[in-house]
Amino acid sequence: MKRLIIYSILSVATLCSYGQSNFNKTEIKSTMKRVADWQIANPATGAEHDDLNWTYAALYMGMIDWAELTEKEDGDSQYYNWLLKIGRRNAWQMGKYMYHADFIAVGQVFLEMHQKYNDRNMMLPTLARTEFVINHPSASTLELDYRNMASLERWSWCDALFMAPPVYAKMYMLTNDWKYIEFMNREYKATYDYLFDKEEELFYRDHRYFKQKEANGKKVFWGRGNGWVLGGLCEILQTLPRNNMHRQFYQDLFITLSNRIVQLQGKDGYWHASLLDPDSYPSPETSATGFIVYALAYGVNEGLLDKTVMMPAIEKGWKALVKAVEKDGKLGYVQPIGADPKKVTREMTEVYGAGAFLLAGNQIYKMVP
């Protein structure tokens, strides 16, 4: 089922390419199951952790890939059933803020559930939300200010590029209605023009970091923030067909950002909280690493990235992620909710970290014949 379009099957030669012997399919699947099961058994609560918030939306996106894999290979529908339960108890609604990107992110998963089960009720709230936003676009600034909620009505922080644009891409593919892709293109490119540093080829988290410096004098580029962007680009590229006229911009950006970020991997296999000053934040950070490994592995699987360059980083990154998984399946070293680099410890975990791990794991699993 995954995604909204059917892709050409990669050749056997590609699947048998560099690095296959360094992954064990049974171990990959077993580790993913431990992470998925632990997270379901240990739900997060508190601020920004209700069913429809961005934190859980990121988990659901990893979980739906895992659900597809386990149903297809094992006839195990428990993970789809878990997602169905969540959708039904919330009537497939969006989060509470009309324009805020974080509160439409669940629409990505609900639209995929609609695609699988052909239940119109699963897509109607997302349809209503996107229709309203498109027909009543915000004229707010891209200068984010948390004292002014209107400044979060557009995609004024780089995380938003993971949360909202793929929803509009999926709506475009479901409806074939030009207005969805037109809106996504306009808003995405506005954020790109504003937050992308063309010299460093990285995204600032938001405008507040334009002039800030790390302890080593480098610019402040947040690891997970750029991971969010790469993850969102993966979702867009998995939705738009290769011959779609709107795809080239996103594909080019994905390749540029991937080729830059692969250079910034730590010797320990992790991408750290600060991309340009890892020495100030030396601890592992699994949410950034998870989203980046997901993106690089997807790019290799789809033939968009040079596997001879990317596979060593993917292998090191996946091994690093697995090291952060406890025996019971808890994923550690996840930076808490935030907007910039922070210190991380092994005890720290978050639902979006598990989501990123499952997204990465599914792409790694596809690499192994």
Side-chain angles (χ1 to χ4, degrees):
M1 186 274 301
K2 185 73 168 169
R3 305 280 182 187
L4 297 178
I5 58 175
I6 298 174
Y7 303 97
S8 59
I9 298 174
L10 295 174
S11 67
V12 173
T14 301
L15 286 171
C16 294
S17 63
Y18 177 92
Q20 72 172 74
S21 61
N22 296 314
F23 293 123
N24 183 296
K25 207 162 190 176
T26 301
E27 290 178 2
I28 295 167
K29 195 172 177 184
S30 173
T31 307
M32 290 170 68
K33 179 173 173 55
R34 282 193 290 129
V35 170
D37 289 349
W38 185 91
Q39 194 60 74
I40 289 173
N42 295 272
T45 58
E48 300 188 66
H49 286 99
D50 65 70
D51 284 350
L52 304 179
N53 217 315
W54 66 273
T55 54
Y56 266 102
L59 172 63
Y60 304 154
M61 291 169 68
M63 199 68 76
I64 198 168
D65 279 11
W66 172 241
E68 182 188 13
L69 173 62
T70 56
E71 185 179 72
K72 180 180 179 181
E73 292 200 353
D74 308 320
D76 183 357
S77 298
Q78 66 172 304
Y79 302 100
Y80 273 129
N81 291 336
W82 181 74
L83 290 166
L84 281 169
K85 186 183 297 183
I86 292 164
R88 286 167 177 164
R89 75 183 178 218
N90 291 283
W92 306 98
Q93 293 294 325
M94 303 292 94
K96 59 185 177 182
Y97 292 110
M98 182 64 69
Y99 289 97
H100 199 309
D102 289 355
F103 294 90
I104 198 174
V106 292
Q108 298 184 52
V109 178
F110 292 170
L111 290 177
E112 290 190 17
M113 294 292 281
H114 158 73
Q115 185 75 3
K116 175 176 174 58
Y117 293 103
N118 195 28
D119 183 344
R120 190 164 173 262
N121 290 321
M122 295 177 178
M123 74 169 288
L124 286 178
T126 306
L127 173 65
R129 176 66 59 88
T130 52
E131 286 272 344
F132 182 90
V133 171
I134 289 171
N135 292 331
H136 305 86
S138 173
S140 183
T141 177
L142 286 172
E143 294 185 4
L144 186 148
D145 181 351
Y146 283 106
R147 298 167 298 180
N148 175 17
M149 283 300 293
S151 72
L152 288 97
E153 289 180 355
R154 297 179 68 197
W155 304 337
S156 56
W157 68 108
C158 72
D159 324 18
L161 299 180
F162 178 89
M163 308 300 169
V167 177
Y168 291 90
K170 291 169 195 277
M171 286 300 303
Y172 169 66
M173 292 303 298
L174 281 169
T175 65
N176 200 31
D177 192 326
W178 178 268
K179 67 186 177 188
Y180 293 104
I181 198 73
E182 187 177 54
F183 177 84
M184 183 185 81
N185 287 342
R186 182 179 71 245
E187 291 299 306
Y188 197 109
K189 290 175 183 178
T191 302
Y192 164 81
D193 289 339
Y194 193 56
L195 295 182
F196 188 67
D197 185 306
K198 292 180 175 60
E199 291 182 358
E200 292 290 352
E201 296 184 323
L202 295 167
F203 277 85
Y204 290 101
R205 198 277 176 169
D206 59 67
H207 83 101
R208 296 173 300 167
Y209 299 92
F210 286 168
K211 296 182 180 180
Q212 292 190 34
K213 302 293 184 183
E214 296 284 16
N216 65 358
K218 299 286 188 179
K219 297 176 183 178
V220 178
F221 293 110
W222 183 33
R224 186 166 74 232
N226 282 270
W228 283 127
V229 178
L230 277 173
L233 286 166
C234 288
E235 299 302 316
I236 292 170
L237 293 174
Q238 287 176 93
T239 301
L240 299 178
R242 285 184 180 270
N243 63 355
N244 186 279
M245 63 182 290
H246 305 288
R247 179 186 169 95
Q248 196 64 48
F249 167 79
Y250 302 101
Q251 182 170 302
D252 289 347
L253 178 57
F254 173 78
I255 293 170
T256 296
L257 186 54
S258 296
N259 284 332
R260 174 60 173 130
I261 214 161
V262 74
Q263 303 169 19
L264 302 175
Q265 185 179 31
K267 293 179 180 179
D268 57 2
Y270 295 99
W271 280 265
H272 294 262
S274 174
L275 290 174
L276 300 188
D277 188 13
D279 291 341
S280 291
Y281 304 90
S283 62
E285 207 292 275
T286 53
S287 58
T289 303
F291 285 119
I292 292 167
V293 170
Y294 166 46
L296 300 185
Y298 163 76
V300 168
N301 284 338
E302 290 297 307
L304 298 175
L305 300 176
D306 185 343
K307 63 179 177 292
T308 60
V309 173
M310 298 297 170
M311 283 303 299
I314 292 168
E315 290 176 5
K316 285 174 60 180
W318 179 248
K319 289 177 182 176
L321 286 169
V322 171
K323 286 180 183 177
V325 178
E326 305 291 358
K327 290 183 179 180
D328 61 2
K330 176 185 175 181
L331 177 68
Y333 289 119
V334 184
Q335 184 184 335
I337 295 170
D340 50 21
K342 291 287 191 298
K343 306 292 184 182
V344 188
T345 66
R346 189 176 182 95
E347 293 72 33
M348 293 177 175
T349 193
E350 266 291 358
V351 292
Y352 48 77
F357 185 94
L358 293 172
L359 286 166
N362 272 276
Q363 290 296 328
I364 298 291
Y365 193 79
K366 289 178 182 178
M367 290 181 160
V368 189

